[in-house]
Amino acid sequence: MHNAAFAELGIEWHYRLFPTESADLPSLLDSFEAKKIVGANVTMPHKRTIMSYLDHISEDARIIGAVNTVHVKAGERSGYNTDWVGFLNALNEAGVEPTGMHAVLLGAGGAARATCYSLARAGADSITVVNRTIEHGVDLVKDMAEAFPACHIAFRPLSYETLHQLSATIDLLVNTTSLGMHPNVSASPWPKEIAISSAAICCDLIYRPLQTLFLKQARKSGHATINGLGMLVHQGAVAFEIWTGQNAPLETMKEACLAALDVDP
Ligand code: NAP
């Protein structure tokens, strides 16, 4: 999507992959100037590790505990997190305003941290984080509750009982786990026999496939759904704007993503 955006705006830059081991991150960053690299996206498992090698980290990335975008300017390396704003822009684009909502997040990894930050910052009334590994969920909730004392943020260990108890209270249900992601498309983070409150909006951060089993089940039971494409495009658009200082061509980026995912919208 970035190469399509550069081409559209006549920017003679190129976006390419640098598969990297953790131990090689410092030398890769050191080589940026010689390679004329002005910025980078960082994916798992480097989103946290990279923070040790940067000169500045944005306040949001510090609270989330992850950097997904690096910008190098005048020899200084700055780290940002664009996932949280990408998620919020995707919700807004779908007409969803989280203020006052009770959101339930399934998962407590990097994407969950960005999503929780996003919802708390947007004024959600309460957020319940449900996760398999207790320590990950407890850590996430501790960090976010400290940053957003007005939002009621709680952790519940993942179990059938937990999901059953929460099911009637949900305004926004977000799958931030990798359950259902290609190639394991027959997995779902939500048991289909537990009915979700009828007004709940169901959202999946996964974009491959665009219609996960979780979203298919939610649609079948009449819920509004949001897939991971909007977040993908919007987090990329914010990174593009950090690097170039220009408005991102959103439609072009979305079309490029859809072409790469080889699917219809
Ligand atoms: P991560 O840090 O590895 O976290 C994965 C989460 O999934 C953890 O909470 C993990 O639980 C949970 N999980 C994994 N397998 C599970 C299982 N079998 N049963 C229950 N829970 C399980 O990954 P991430 O970076 O947060 O990414 C998560 C998903 O979000 C991925 O599908 C990724 O593609 C998507 N994503 C999308 C966008 C976008 O732009 N749309 C952006 C970022 C991420 P434990 O803590 O118990 O291990």
Side-chain angles (χ1 to χ4, degrees):
M1 74 174 138
H2 288 297
N3 285 330
F6 294 145
E8 164 116 0
L9 297 192
I11 299 171
E12 289 186 356
W13 290 2
H14 186 65
Y15 186 94
R16 54 159 287 203
L17 291 177
F18 282 89
T20 308
E21 298 294 326
S22 276
D24 298 330
L25 280 174
S27 57
L28 179 66
L29 283 168
D30 287 343
S31 73
F32 272 20
E33 205 168 348
K35 289 183 172 135
K36 296 198 165 77
I37 295 173
V38 299
N41 281 133
V42 186
T43 59
M44 293 306 286
H46 303 316
K47 286 184 175 183
R48 193 178 272 275
T49 320
I50 190 109
M51 295 171 83
S52 325
Y53 308 118
L54 302 173
D55 302 303
H56 306 287
I57 292 169
S58 65
E59 174 74 357
D60 44 17
R62 190 188 56 72
I63 294 169
I64 292 165
V67 158
N68 75 333
T69 300
V70 174
H71 185 210
V72 184
K73 198 173 172 188
E76 300 263 288
R77 303 159 182 171
S78 300
Y80 303 88
N81 187 300
T82 69
D83 280 337
W84 77 266
V85 67
F87 176 69
L88 196 55
N89 288 348
L91 286 186
N92 292 160
E93 191 176 62
V96 176
E97 169 51 67
T99 314
M101 281 188 169
H102 174 218
V104 171
L105 303 188
L106 306 173
R113 296 183 72 88
T115 307
C116 191
Y117 177 92
S118 192
L119 293 168
R121 186 161 158 159
D125 173 71
S126 50
I127 301 170
T128 307
V129 176
V130 179
N131 197 50
R132 177 182 62 178
T133 305
I134 291 175
E135 192 191 345
H136 297 163
V138 168
D139 284 354
L140 187 166
V141 166
K142 180 176 166 292
D143 293 347
M144 296 300 154
E146 249 171 54
F148 298 99
C151 185
H152 305 94
I153 308 177
F155 170 70
R156 299 282 301 272
L158 176 64
S159 71
Y160 191 90
E161 195 50 30
T162 295
L163 299 181
H164 195 261
Q165 284 168 6
L166 288 170
S167 60
T169 71
I170 304 171
D171 297 315
L172 180 66
L173 177 59
V174 189
N175 175 34
T176 80
T177 76
S178 40
L179 282 169
M181 188 167 76
H182 179 82
N184 300 315
V185 295
S186 59
S188 169
W190 191 272
K192 71 172 185 300
E193 58 276 19
I194 301 181
I196 304 163
S197 51
S198 57
I201 298 155
C202 296
C203 180
D204 203 324
L205 303 193
I206 293 172
Y207 47 82
R208 196 190 294 265
L210 281 181
Q211 298 309 323
T212 57
L213 180 58
F214 168 58
L215 290 190
K216 283 182 191 164
Q217 285 168 349
R219 266 222 304 230
K220 209 166 161 189
S221 47
H223 294 90
T225 61
I226 301 173
N227 64 38
L229 179 67
M231 178 177 178
L232 178 68
V233 172
H234 282 287
Q235 63 76 30
V238 177
F240 181 94
E241 291 173 2
I242 289 170
W243 299 325
T244 65
Q246 300 194 44
N247 289 336
L250 272 174
E251 268 314 304
T252 300
M253 294 175 87
K254 185 176 172 188
E255 278 166 25
C257 281
L258 284 170
L261 294 167
D262 201 27
V263 285
D264 293 326

